[in-house]
Amino acid sequence: MTIKQPTSPMARPYTQQAPPTLSTLPINPVTSPAPPTSPPIDTIIEQIVSATAVVYCEGNFACLDGKTANGLVRSSERYQILSVIDSEKAGLDSGMVLDDVPNAIPICRNLADSLAQAEAIPDYFIFGMAPSSGLLSSAERGVVLEAIAMGMNVVNGLHEFLNDDSEFVAASTASNVVLLDVRRPRAKKDLRLFSGRIDEVSCPRIAVLGTDGAIGKRTTATILTRALNARGIKAVMVGTGQTGLIQGAKYGIALDAIPSQFCSGEMEAAIVEAFEGEDPDIIIIEGQGALSHPAYLSSTFILRGSRPDAIVLQHAPGRAHRCDFETMPMPTPASEIHLLETFADARVIGLTLNHENMSDAEVSEAISHYEEELGIPATDALTRSPDRLVEMVSRAFPEIEEKLSVRAQ
């Protein structure tokens, strides 16, 4: 296989994770809650009908740390995104910047510019970045306070909780708005330990894992879920990170914010809730990080808590080293598969590619190469037909193949 020299992910555009815009997933809408009269302490995001939002992503839109903004621009079941704030790309269409396809969501210079283009004050200000520190800078604090003063509720996906900050609480109380800390876990007394109830989940469970962070696991999981639903297979996706929850995942947790003692139990509980609430034909689980990555442990808890029957592995052949770790080379798919199948009682049923830094011809060559080397189907979820993803599943699970056949008649 001839693939050009892998490129550092630190410098690349984050343009490889664009799910289809039409969702076939069911949405359970409820009206937005009225602003509270007491200091707002809100830890659970509720489904909102057509709530408008602007997304703050200064200096990071279409980059790795802007993955929350990127994901929301491409797919959001909960919010109508009016604009993105990033002075470095102001005046451009966000769809053109990400995918060379216009979407009529403008990129604005600052909050004032964003509000000038809106017909009314947006309902929500979403902090659309996911820095490794998980903290706000002093400049970012100022922008969030400005949004609060304008009467906008704030959605925050960082590890720094706004509801724990007296300045933000006082400002939100004065403006009668809500602060949503997406990553805040349940109170410790309410956290669930692993119970073994995962064995009651009788439908297949597939985890979409990867060889690195920010590699497209959530996007592939979203596309696979939608493709199955579009073909009459009731699929439910369980989110495990802040971006998926902000986008509108009905079931899930921000796994990296939960004390480790409870991670497996909370993961198990989210799967059981999805199973009992939806009676699905199959459950798709969003992955986090990579099992082989020394900086992240989320994959271990996903595997232990959800006990998947199968795994789809996401890999970026054109990536030279792990995100944020320039001295750490990327693992091969073969080594990651060996680790996964040794660690968990699950088989890897397919490989999906992130096509960053690759031409279409190189993607085709990589697909052929990996299928021959690994003996499993391979595809690119974004540039190839979703039928390939569905085939991975139906080939691994005869009951799904049978249902597909019956519904195709």
Side-chain angles (χ1 to χ4, degrees):
M1 178 177 65
T2 305
I3 296 178
K4 64 186 178 183
Q5 183 65 29
T7 304
S8 164
M10 298 296 290
R12 65 161 174 101
Y14 191 86
T15 58
Q16 75 284 357
Q17 298 184 30
T21 56
L22 178 61
S23 172
T24 57
L25 289 174
I27 302 175
N28 180 27
V30 300
T31 55
S32 178
T37 55
S38 57
I41 306 295
D42 192 333
T43 63
I44 300 176
I45 293 184
E46 299 191 21
Q47 295 282 8
I48 300 165
V49 176
S50 299
T52 57
V54 298
V55 183
Y56 181 78
C57 196
E58 176 58 33
N60 281 285
F61 187 64
C63 299
L64 285 172
D65 282 353
K67 68 178 185 178
T68 298
N70 303 333
L72 285 166
V73 163
R74 288 163 167 157
S75 176
S76 177
E77 295 173 359
R78 181 168 282 129
Y79 304 105
Q80 177 190 353
I81 306 303
L82 302 181
S83 63
V84 175
I85 299 171
D86 184 349
S87 64
E88 295 182 5
K89 300 176 180 68
L92 302 177
D93 179 280
S94 60
M96 288 297 296
V97 171
L98 284 175
D99 307 308
D100 292 324
V101 178
N103 62 8
I105 299 176
I107 304 177
C108 299
R109 184 168 303 281
N110 50 35
L111 183 57
D113 182 21
S114 176
L115 297 183
Q117 299 195 39
E119 295 181 357
I121 297 294
D123 300 311
Y124 287 84
F125 174 94
I126 301 175
F127 190 84
M129 293 182 286
S132 57
S133 69
L135 305 174
L136 289 168
S137 68
S138 58
E140 291 162 355
R141 287 181 64 89
V143 177
V144 174
L145 288 168
E146 183 184 357
I148 292 172
M150 296 295 292
M152 301 168 66
N153 303 296
V154 178
V155 178
N156 166 45
L158 299 176
H159 285 292
E160 178 179 4
F161 301 145
L162 304 187
N163 283 298
D164 290 344
D165 188 303
S166 60
E167 184 176 19
F168 285 122
V169 170
S172 65
T173 302
S175 295
N176 201 29
V177 300
V178 174
L179 306 176
L180 297 173
D181 288 317
V182 179
R183 266 186 165 132
R184 183 189 288 275
R186 304 168 187 270
K188 286 187 174 62
K189 65 182 180 62
D190 297 323
L191 290 170
R192 281 83 53 98
L193 291 166
F194 185 83
S195 67
R197 288 198 64 205
I198 193 68
D199 292 335
E200 299 172 12
V201 177
S202 57
C203 70
R205 302 180 299 280
I206 299 177
V208 181
L209 304 179
T211 55
D212 196 12
I215 204 168
K217 297 178 289 288
R218 170 176 43 82
T219 299
T220 293
T222 299
I223 295 173
L224 173 57
T225 302
R226 290 175 174 174
L228 289 165
N229 276 290
R231 289 154 182 79
I233 301 299
K234 187 173 183 180
V236 175
M237 177 174 156
V238 174
T240 56
Q242 75 278 8
T243 300
L245 297 178
I246 295 172
Q247 283 178 305
K250 188 175 178 181
Y251 299 94
I253 50 175
L255 191 59
D256 65 357
I258 296 172
S260 59
Q261 176 75 10
F262 302 97
C263 283
S264 290
E266 285 292 308
M267 185 75 255
E268 176 191 46
I271 303 294
V272 171
E273 287 167 357
F275 177 68
E276 294 181 340
E278 304 296 329
D279 189 23
D281 296 318
I282 192 166
I283 294 174
I284 308 300
I285 304 147
E286 174 197 8
Q288 295 292 325
L291 185 60
S292 62
H293 203 308
Y296 309 122
L297 295 176
S298 297
S299 289
T300 64
F301 297 120
I302 290 171
L303 289 167
R304 288 295 189 242
S306 70
R307 296 184 65 185
D309 302 290
I311 297 166
V312 171
L313 181 65
Q314 179 92 359
H315 179 63
R319 185 177 292 190
H321 59 75
R322 308 226 202 212
C323 298
D324 299 322
F325 296 89
E326 296 184 3
T327 61
M328 195 180 296
M330 287 286 290
T332 65
S335 67
E336 194 76 22
I337 289 170
H338 176 71
L339 179 62
L340 287 165
E341 294 183 341
T342 301
F343 183 83
D345 184 17
R347 65 195 189 281
V348 176
I349 62 171
L351 181 75
T352 50
L353 302 182
N354 173 325
H355 60 252
E356 67 187 42
N357 309 312
M358 298 175 72
S359 68
D360 191 71
E362 289 169 334
V363 171
S364 294
E365 187 177 358
I367 289 172
S368 298
H369 168 79
Y370 287 126
E371 287 187 332
E372 181 178 355
E373 177 190 359
L374 303 173
I376 56 177
T379 190
D380 178 344
L382 292 173
T383 65
R384 302 306 189 261
S385 169
D387 288 340
R388 291 286 291 156
L389 290 172
V390 175
E391 288 168 8
M392 283 182 186
V393 175
S394 62
R395 186 168 123 170
F397 297 99
E399 63 269 39
I400 299 298
E401 183 174 23
E402 182 178 352
K403 289 178 181 179
L404 285 167
S405 299
V406 169
R407 289 164 189 175
Q409 295 175 358

